[in-house]
Amino acid sequence: MPAHRYTDVYTRVDVPLADHDRRWPTRRITAAPLWVPVDLRDGNQALAEPMDPERKRRLFELMVRMGYTEIEVGYPSASQTDYDFVRLLAETDIAPDDVTIVVFTPARRDLIERTVESIRDVRNPVVIHMYAATAPIWRDTVLGKDRDELREMILAGGRDVWELAGHLPNVRFEFSPEVFTLTEPDYVIEICDAITELWQATPARPVILNLPATVEVATPNVYADQIEYMDRTLARRDGVILSVHPHNDRGTGIACAELAVLAGAQRVEGCIFGTGERTGNVDIATLALNLYTQGVDPMIDFSDIDEIRRTVEYCTRMEIHPRHPYVGDLVHTAFSGTHQDAIKKGMAEHRARARVEGRSEREIAWRVPYLPIDPADIGRTYDAVIRVNSQSGKGGIAYLLEAEYGIELPRRLQMDLSRRVQQYTDTTGDEVTARDIWGIFSAAYLSDADDRAVRLTAMHLDEAAGRTELTLQVDGTESHSTHQDAGPIEALAAALHAHEMPVEILSLHQSSMRSRADADALTILEYRTADGSAWTAGRDRSSLTATLDAVIRAANADAGARTAVAP
């Protein structure tokens, strides 16, 4: 590939920070920045089918419910739909009083006039966001202006904004030097300081300086250096809200945003799930939930993430990738056997700690392998945490049976059942559900042959006399036996032994199935065979009947095995 065509002259701007003088590498994020979703403007511009008014309103109302307090709602000078939506906010009460409305405009007087007209009589706090491209290649190729000419164009736009809206008490101002990442640092400082002076930035009426990675062109540490340099160099810093707007061209937009906050950014613009031009704007959901997994309140409500996803997918007509962080269908799902085993053990340990501490599972610290977040915290159930395909192991199979049916499998049986499930998935190539696994289990350990060699047709237990009476049907012939000082299981074993059909029980496990409102008892039995051991099971409303049934099944299986190898 012709890598020589790309040079770091294009992909990097040197930041004048002294060596070893960075502050951001040693910092930690301890509080959420101000999140500003731009789905209705930047995200909307990236859609093959831009949102109609109904979709814009639905997405706006979702953002309000989630707790966003500042929302960029459109580009009213460029789109009649956006203009009408801003007017809708002015003329109705769908925007709560504490939500700040942001409108976007280029640095051009006629478009600024249209923008200011759109916010007429808006009761909410308003931010007028003016932008202009400042990077050399944009200056030379797109705008045809040198540094001085562009500076004057930007300040002229700033003066127009101040003239038309500076007197409005509910209006503040934002400026973006577009493609900040490729603009010379001294030039950005020069323009930003001139703008904050023009707009009279003070702590009481701060100006937002938004520093976008309009095109992501360098590693995240470079962006962090650029933001730290601005944070340390800007005039009137206490009257400035330092904002960032990363895109994701290199796939590191989230890292850029996180490092930018460490470097001094107080505000982050992005889209709920990263919708935007090219590879997208930065993903606010991932950023916010990254903080959440570090014990920091993200200040946005993602407790019903599936409803948020459904709304965003409807409004944008774009599906969320199944492996998208936090929200994708498969992000809390393990197919790998080793992952499943670790998750199963971690979930069991989590439940045990909750019992020991006498608190609910939602109250104690979350420490489960492979799951950085408790799925329940974002409205997910545990049903989809473990799913089984040909890559899965015994842990996942056992987890699904326990989660769906309440059955706890002995470890050695997990290995036997896993082999059978593996044969099924290798043959079909399909994922298997808990219901499929139960079907495989039933066929292997609960099936009844029509020609059973032995059946238990009657049993009478005389507890007072300590006597058990049995009636067996062996190869079609009934026989009765009485067993003194023997319980039902011992009596059945003795009767089978007398018919040369011994069943040596190695282990016996009982559980209650949750497949019905009235749970059935399930007995799982391991018995000795000529080759080692095997498994069978019994199921009934009575645990005793279920156990007797399992013993009879073992006897028939062993008899069938002997018949199969007889000369």
Side-chain angles (χ1 to χ4, degrees):
M1 296 179 68
H4 63 276
R5 299 178 60 226
Y6 304 92
T7 68
D8 64 2
V9 173
Y10 179 79
T11 60
R12 175 164 182 154
V13 174
D14 289 327
V15 183
L17 287 173
D19 289 343
H20 310 298
D21 193 28
R22 275 84 172 158
R23 297 171 183 165
W24 62 262
T26 58
R27 290 175 175 168
R28 295 185 61 191
I29 301 176
T30 57
L34 173 62
W35 308 112
V36 182
V38 297
D39 301 71
L40 297 174
R41 195 275 301 172
D42 203 340
N44 193 42
Q45 291 173 197
L47 301 179
E49 295 180 71
M51 286 178 269
D52 54 40
E54 185 272 332
R55 282 179 165 82
K56 290 202 77 164
R57 176 168 181 166
R58 182 166 172 177
L59 189 54
F60 177 83
E61 291 174 338
L62 170 71
M63 294 174 184
V64 169
R65 290 196 303 275
M66 293 173 68
Y68 289 105
T69 58
E70 190 169 316
I71 302 170
E72 189 168 273
V73 298
Y75 194 158
S77 66
S79 162
Q80 186 62 44
T81 299
D82 282 14
Y83 183 93
D84 292 342
F85 186 71
V86 178
R87 295 309 306 150
L88 175 70
L89 298 179
E91 295 163 4
T92 66
D93 60 356
I94 66 173
D97 293 343
D98 61 346
V99 172
T100 297
I101 303 304
V102 184
V103 288
F104 190 73
T105 182
R108 210 176 85 188
R109 185 175 179 90
D110 59 327
L111 302 181
I112 292 168
E113 288 175 339
R114 177 75 167 165
T115 302
V116 174
E117 172 61 23
S118 75
I119 64 167
R120 174 176 41 86
D121 301 326
V122 172
R123 296 178 301 278
N124 294 75
V126 175
V127 170
I128 296 176
H129 181 181
M130 187 186 81
Y131 80 97
T134 56
I137 191 170
W138 271 256
R139 295 196 306 260
D140 299 340
T141 305
V142 180
L143 300 173
K145 295 182 182 295
D146 62 23
R147 284 175 52 146
D148 291 338
E149 290 169 332
L150 181 60
R151 179 181 184 277
E152 180 50 39
M153 186 198 85
I154 292 170
L155 291 178
R159 286 191 290 269
D160 291 336
V161 168
W162 186 253
E163 174 194 336
L164 296 169
H167 63 285
L168 299 175
N170 64 325
V171 175
R172 293 186 292 111
F173 308 106
E174 175 178 357
F175 173 66
S176 287
E178 191 186 3
V179 207
F180 159 78
T181 44
L182 283 173
T183 305
E184 306 92 330
D186 66 306
Y187 187 52
V188 178
I189 288 289
E190 177 186 339
I191 291 174
C192 288
D193 284 349
I195 280 288
T196 57
E197 181 180 16
L198 173 62
W199 287 345
Q200 300 179 17
T202 65
R205 194 182 188 184
V207 168
I208 301 164
L209 291 178
N210 186 55
L211 307 176
T214 314
V215 181
E216 194 181 24
V217 294
T219 52
N221 63 297
V222 175
Y223 191 48
D225 281 350
Q226 291 173 317
I227 300 303
E228 180 170 327
Y229 176 71
M230 296 294 289
D231 178 50
R232 295 166 62 170
T233 310
L234 283 167
R236 289 167 289 279
R237 182 64 184 89
D238 61 350
V240 168
I241 296 173
L242 198 58
S243 176
V244 292
H245 182 118
H247 278 250
N248 196 44
D249 300 86
R250 302 179 74 254
T252 57
I254 289 168
C256 282
E258 291 181 323
L259 268 58
V261 172
L262 291 172
Q266 301 151 284
R267 180 180 183 271
V268 176
E269 295 185 354
C271 290
I272 296 176
F273 295 130
T275 307
E277 298 286 4
R278 305 179 307 280
T279 58
N281 293 81
V282 75
D283 184 324
I284 294 179
T286 300
L287 284 164
L289 291 171
N290 283 354
L291 288 184
Y292 184 69
T293 64
Q294 302 299 307
V296 177
D297 185 349
M299 306 302 289
I300 301 294
D301 184 2
F302 286 97
S303 61
D304 191 355
I305 204 163
D306 286 328
E307 174 59 25
I308 296 169
R309 182 192 65 184
R310 285 189 292 268
T311 300
V312 171
E313 287 180 331
Y314 167 77
C315 294
T316 63
R317 300 180 178 92
M318 293 176 63
E319 292 186 0
I320 302 297
H321 192 282
R323 292 293 184 185
H324 186 290
Y326 299 108
V327 69
D329 282 334
L330 298 179
V331 296
H332 301 124
T333 300
F335 290 104
S336 160
T338 55
H339 288 212
Q340 292 173 343
D341 184 60
I343 291 171
K344 179 176 180 290
K345 291 173 180 174
M347 298 283 278
E349 193 274 340
H350 184 74
R351 289 191 293 270
R353 278 195 296 115
R355 288 194 297 270
V356 169
E357 295 181 24
R359 295 189 291 168
S360 74
E361 293 178 29
R362 296 291 301 279
E363 292 177 317
I364 65 172
W366 179 256
R367 295 195 302 269
V368 174
Y370 296 112
L371 293 178
I373 191 171
D374 183 347
D377 286 351
I378 52 176
R380 293 277 175 86
T381 66
Y382 297 112
D383 298 343
V385 168
I386 291 178
R387 289 161 60 178
V388 173
N389 64 11
S390 60
Q391 303 299 308
S392 305
K394 61 184 182 301
I397 293 165
Y399 177 89
L400 288 185
L401 281 183
E402 183 177 354
E404 185 69 19
Y405 295 99
I407 301 169
E408 296 187 23
L409 298 181
R411 181 173 177 80
R412 290 191 302 280
L413 178 57
Q414 290 179 29
M415 298 169 66
D416 190 73
L417 179 59
S418 175
R419 175 177 54 81
R420 298 173 189 272
V421 173
Q422 185 77 38
Q423 290 172 346
Y424 176 88
T425 56
D426 285 344
T427 301
T428 65
D430 295 335
E431 178 186 345
V432 293
T433 64
R435 185 175 181 178
D436 295 328
I437 296 170
W438 172 246
I440 296 168
F441 178 96
S442 298
Y445 311 116
L446 282 169
S447 62
D448 282 323
D450 293 334
D451 57 347
R452 295 176 73 176
V454 59
R455 298 175 186 273
L456 176 63
T457 58
M459 183 187 73
H460 175 69
L461 177 61
D462 187 343
E463 293 183 356
R467 185 170 60 243
T468 300
E469 299 176 2
L470 299 174
T471 301
L472 291 181
Q473 187 182 83
V474 180
D475 294 328
T477 302
E478 284 196 343
S479 66
H480 304 277
S481 60
T482 299
H483 306 269
Q484 192 66 38
D485 298 325
I489 307 302
E490 294 171 291
L492 178 57
L496 290 168
H497 191 274
H499 286 277
E500 298 184 349
M501 303 179 71
V503 174
E504 183 181 351
I505 299 172
L506 299 177
S507 65
L508 190 148
H509 308 266
Q510 292 183 319
S511 62
S512 179
M513 292 185 59
R514 292 197 299 262
S515 60
R516 300 180 182 178
D518 297 320
D520 282 354
L522 181 74
T523 295
I524 297 170
L525 184 147
E526 183 182 18
Y527 63 98
R528 190 179 302 284
T529 66
D531 299 324
S533 67
W535 296 88
T536 187
R539 176 182 177 184
D540 194 82
R541 295 289 299 279
S542 160
S543 60
L544 174 58
T545 303
T547 302
L548 294 170
D549 190 39
V551 174
I552 290 293
R553 258 195 199 87
N556 280 291
D558 198 44
R562 287 197 302 271
T563 301
V565 298

